[in-house]
Amino acid sequence: MAKRSKAQTELTIQQIMDEAFRQILTIGFETMSYSTLADALGISRTGVSHHFPRKLDFLLRLNERIGEHFISALDFSSIEALQYSWQQAMTRPEQQAVLRLFFSICGRVEDEMPEFIAVEQALRQAESALGVAGREQVQELLGATALQLSSCTLLAKAA
Protein backbone atom coordinates (compact mmCIF):
# COMPACT_ATOMS: atom_id res chain seq x y z
CA MET A 1 0.00 0.00 0.00
CA ALA A 2 1.45 3.35 -1.03
CA LYS A 3 2.14 5.88 1.69
CA ARG A 4 -0.22 8.86 1.66
CA SER A 5 1.21 12.34 1.32
CA LYS A 6 0.89 14.87 4.10
CA ALA A 7 -1.48 16.89 1.89
CA GLN A 8 -3.73 13.84 1.36
CA THR A 9 -3.75 13.15 5.09
CA GLU A 10 -4.63 16.76 5.89
CA LEU A 11 -7.42 16.68 3.30
CA THR A 12 -8.84 13.51 4.87
CA ILE A 13 -8.71 15.05 8.35
CA GLN A 14 -10.48 18.17 7.08
CA GLN A 15 -13.17 16.07 5.38
CA ILE A 16 -13.72 14.11 8.59
CA MET A 17 -13.95 17.33 10.61
CA ASP A 18 -16.37 18.90 8.13
CA GLU A 19 -18.61 15.83 8.25
CA ALA A 20 -18.40 15.63 12.05
CA PHE A 21 -19.40 19.31 12.25
CA ARG A 22 -22.33 18.68 9.90
CA GLN A 23 -23.47 15.65 11.86
CA ILE A 24 -23.15 17.39 15.23
CA LEU A 25 -25.50 20.08 13.93
CA THR A 26 -27.95 17.71 12.22
CA ILE A 27 -28.12 14.44 14.12
CA GLY A 28 -26.36 15.54 17.31
CA PHE A 29 -23.09 14.62 18.95
CA GLU A 30 -24.57 11.70 20.88
CA THR A 31 -25.93 10.10 17.68
CA MET A 32 -22.84 10.79 15.58
CA SER A 33 -20.51 7.79 15.54
CA TYR A 34 -17.48 6.45 13.76
CA SER A 35 -19.90 4.42 11.64
CA THR A 36 -22.05 7.40 10.62
CA LEU A 37 -18.94 9.37 9.72
CA ALA A 38 -17.34 6.50 7.81
CA ASP A 39 -20.55 5.79 5.89
CA ALA A 40 -20.99 9.45 4.94
CA LEU A 41 -17.38 9.79 3.81
CA GLY A 42 -16.99 6.41 2.13
CA ILE A 43 -14.00 5.47 4.27
CA SER A 44 -13.49 2.83 6.94
CA ARG A 45 -14.26 3.31 10.61
CA THR A 46 -10.60 2.59 11.23
CA GLY A 47 -9.70 5.44 8.89
CA VAL A 48 -11.78 7.81 11.02
CA SER A 49 -10.54 6.50 14.37
CA HIS A 50 -6.92 6.65 13.18
CA HIS A 51 -7.16 10.45 13.08
CA PHE A 52 -9.63 10.84 15.96
CA PRO A 53 -9.02 8.02 18.47
CA ARG A 54 -11.67 9.27 20.92
CA LYS A 55 -15.04 10.79 20.18
CA LEU A 56 -14.09 13.65 22.52
CA ASP A 57 -11.35 14.58 20.01
CA PHE A 58 -14.03 15.91 17.66
CA LEU A 59 -15.24 18.37 20.30
CA LEU A 60 -11.72 19.44 21.12
CA ARG A 61 -10.99 20.20 17.45
CA LEU A 62 -14.41 21.66 16.54
CA ASN A 63 -15.14 23.65 19.69
CA GLU A 64 -14.27 27.05 18.23
CA ARG A 65 -16.02 26.36 14.92
CA ILE A 66 -19.22 25.31 16.71
CA GLY A 67 -19.00 28.45 18.84
CA GLU A 68 -18.60 30.72 15.83
CA HIS A 69 -21.55 29.05 14.14
CA PHE A 70 -23.75 29.63 17.19
CA ILE A 71 -22.68 33.25 17.69
CA SER A 72 -23.26 34.08 14.02
CA ALA A 73 -27.01 33.66 14.58
CA LEU A 74 -27.18 36.25 17.37
CA ASP A 75 -27.62 40.02 17.20
CA PHE A 76 -25.89 41.89 20.04
CA SER A 77 -27.00 45.39 19.02
CA SER A 78 -29.56 45.66 21.85
CA ILE A 79 -31.17 43.52 24.55
CA GLU A 80 -34.33 43.29 22.42
CA ALA A 81 -32.36 42.31 19.32
CA LEU A 82 -30.50 39.68 21.33
CA GLN A 83 -33.76 38.24 22.68
CA TYR A 84 -35.35 38.17 19.24
CA SER A 85 -32.31 36.67 17.50
CA TRP A 86 -32.01 34.03 20.22
CA GLN A 87 -35.68 33.11 19.82
CA GLN A 88 -35.23 32.88 16.05
CA ALA A 89 -32.07 30.81 16.46
CA MET A 90 -33.91 28.37 18.73
CA THR A 91 -36.37 27.61 15.92
CA ARG A 92 -33.47 26.13 13.92
CA PRO A 93 -32.46 22.56 14.71
CA GLU A 94 -28.77 23.39 14.14
CA GLN A 95 -28.77 26.00 16.90
CA GLN A 96 -30.75 23.72 19.20
CA ALA A 97 -28.14 21.01 18.59
CA VAL A 98 -25.38 23.36 19.76
CA LEU A 99 -27.17 24.04 23.02
CA ARG A 100 -28.10 20.39 23.52
CA LEU A 101 -24.40 19.64 23.19
CA PHE A 102 -23.61 22.36 25.74
CA PHE A 103 -26.09 20.99 28.26
CA SER A 104 -24.81 17.47 27.64
CA ILE A 105 -21.23 18.59 28.30
CA CYS A 106 -22.30 20.37 31.49
CA GLY A 107 -23.44 17.05 32.88
CA ARG A 108 -20.10 15.33 32.34
CA VAL A 109 -17.27 15.21 34.80
CA GLU A 110 -14.28 14.46 32.59
CA ASP A 111 -10.94 16.17 33.07
CA GLU A 112 -10.43 16.63 29.35
CA MET A 113 -13.90 17.99 28.58
CA PRO A 114 -13.39 21.36 26.96
CA GLU A 115 -15.00 24.55 28.14
CA PHE A 116 -17.76 24.88 25.60
CA ILE A 117 -16.80 28.00 23.73
CA ALA A 118 -20.18 28.76 22.12
CA VAL A 119 -21.81 29.77 25.38
CA GLU A 120 -18.73 31.50 26.74
CA GLN A 121 -18.45 33.52 23.50
CA ALA A 122 -22.11 34.50 23.71
CA LEU A 123 -21.67 35.65 27.32
CA ARG A 124 -18.51 37.62 26.52
CA GLN A 125 -19.91 39.22 23.40
CA ALA A 126 -23.16 40.16 25.14
CA GLU A 127 -21.25 41.73 28.02
CA SER A 128 -18.91 43.55 25.66
CA ALA A 129 -21.76 44.96 23.58
CA LEU A 130 -24.43 45.45 26.22
CA GLY A 131 -22.69 45.41 29.59
CA VAL A 132 -23.70 43.30 32.56
CA ALA A 133 -27.34 43.41 31.40
CA GLY A 134 -26.30 41.63 28.19
CA ARG A 135 -24.49 38.90 30.08
CA GLU A 136 -27.47 38.45 32.39
CA GLN A 137 -29.79 38.28 29.38
CA VAL A 138 -27.79 35.43 27.85
CA GLN A 139 -27.88 33.62 31.19
CA GLU A 140 -31.67 34.03 31.35
CA LEU A 141 -32.03 32.85 27.75
CA LEU A 142 -29.84 29.83 28.50
CA GLY A 143 -32.04 28.92 31.45
CA ALA A 144 -35.24 29.29 29.45
CA THR A 145 -33.75 27.27 26.60
CA ALA A 146 -32.66 24.50 28.96
CA LEU A 147 -36.23 24.21 30.21
CA GLN A 148 -37.61 24.32 26.68
CA LEU A 149 -35.23 21.70 25.33
CA SER A 150 -35.66 19.39 28.31
CA SER A 151 -39.45 19.57 28.11
CA CYS A 152 -39.28 18.82 24.37
CA THR A 153 -37.06 15.84 25.10
CA LEU A 154 -39.43 14.59 27.79
CA LEU A 155 -42.42 15.01 25.48
CA ALA A 156 -40.64 13.15 22.67
CA LYS A 157 -39.78 10.26 25.00
CA ALA A 158 -43.36 10.05 26.26
CA ALA A 159 -44.76 9.82 22.71
Side-chain angles (χ1 to χ4, degrees):
M1 178 181 200
K3 187 171 176 157
R4 299 186 68 192
S5 72
K6 184 173 180 159
Q8 289 171 316
T9 300
E10 288 303 315
L11 178 62
T12 299
I13 291 169
Q14 189 58 51
Q15 289 171 332
I16 295 169
M17 286 179 41
D18 289 346
E19 182 59 25
F21 179 73
R22 189 191 70 71
Q23 287 190 22
I24 287 169
L25 296 181
T26 56
I27 64 173
F29 180 72
E30 298 300 327
T31 304
M32 180 191 81
S33 68
Y34 289 102
S35 294
T36 62
L37 292 169
D39 290 347
L41 293 166
I43 61 176
S44 69
R45 286 181 49 183
T46 306
V48 176
S49 66
H50 172 74
H51 299 292
F52 297 90
R54 303 165 305 155
K55 195 171 174 185
L56 176 61
D57 293 332
F58 293 106
L59 291 183
L60 295 171
R61 295 278 300 267
L62 292 169
N63 195 358
E64 190 169 325
R65 186 171 168 188
I66 293 167
E68 289 169 0
H69 176 78
F70 182 72
I71 292 298
S72 71
L74 302 177
D75 180 350
F76 295 95
S77 62
S78 70
I79 294 290
E80 295 76 21
L82 176 57
Q83 289 172 329
Y84 180 75
S85 64
W86 187 287
Q87 291 167 349
Q88 291 304 111
M90 289 306 102
T91 65
R92 296 194 283 287
E94 286 184 355
Q95 302 300 352
Q96 289 179 7
V98 171
L99 287 181
R100 277 195 181 92
L101 178 57
F102 166 70
F103 296 126
S104 170
I105 288 172
C106 287
R108 295 184 184 188
V109 202
E110 296 178 30
D111 290 336
E112 292 184 72
M113 188 58 69
E115 175 182 295
F116 195 59
I117 207 163
V119 171
E120 189 55 40
Q121 282 179 334
L123 289 165
R124 271 190 258 130
Q125 195 159 343
E127 187 168 13
S128 174
L130 304 167
V132 174
R135 184 176 190 84
E136 290 171 349
Q137 183 62 55
V138 169
Q139 290 170 333
E140 285 180 34
L141 291 166
L142 275 170
T145 301
L147 291 172
Q148 178 187 1
L149 291 176
S150 65
S151 66
C152 289
T153 302
L154 292 173
L155 290 172
K157 286 182 180 179

